[in-house]
Amino acid sequence: PPHDQTGHTWHHPDGILLGVIKEGLVPGKYAPPGYRSDMPAFGGALTDEEIRAVLAYVKSAWPPDIRKLQLEVDRRSREGSSG
């Protein structure tokens, strides 16, 4: 799917997005069990810093309202995992 505001990438917190870029779309971890995807893992080709840069690039194409919504999704995810 597209990674702009018409897709669903922005519906996910950064931890999920970074994991999917690094490990690929792992069924049971980042997708429902049995889900099939062509999303490869880039962890062997990119450093964590480069993966964060890729995500920053993707986010740069989102309009401000979508960036704000994704920030809230990410905030709620971090608060939920720390409690």
Side-chain angles (χ1 to χ4, degrees):
H3 295 297
D4 63 15
Q5 70 274 11
T6 67
H8 67 269
T9 303
W10 63 270
H11 294 181
H12 302 288
D14 286 354
I16 298 290
L17 298 175
L18 293 167
V20 168
I21 295 168
K22 186 172 186 167
E23 301 174 40
L25 195 57
V26 179
K29 185 170 185 178
Y30 302 118
Y35 186 82
R36 295 176 59 118
S37 171
D38 292 333
M39 176 65 188
F42 287 95
L46 301 173
T47 66
D48 287 354
E49 184 176 325
E50 290 169 326
I51 291 170
R52 284 190 294 276
V54 167
L55 183 55
Y57 175 77
V58 168
K59 289 180 175 187
S60 74
W62 299 342
D65 59 327
I66 296 297
R67 278 184 269 164
K68 185 176 178 181
L69 288 169
Q70 195 275 334
L71 276 171
E72 180 61 21
V73 166
D74 187 59
R75 183 190 65 77
R76 284 193 317 261
S77 172
R78 285 184 280 111
E79 286 178 355
S81 65
S82 65

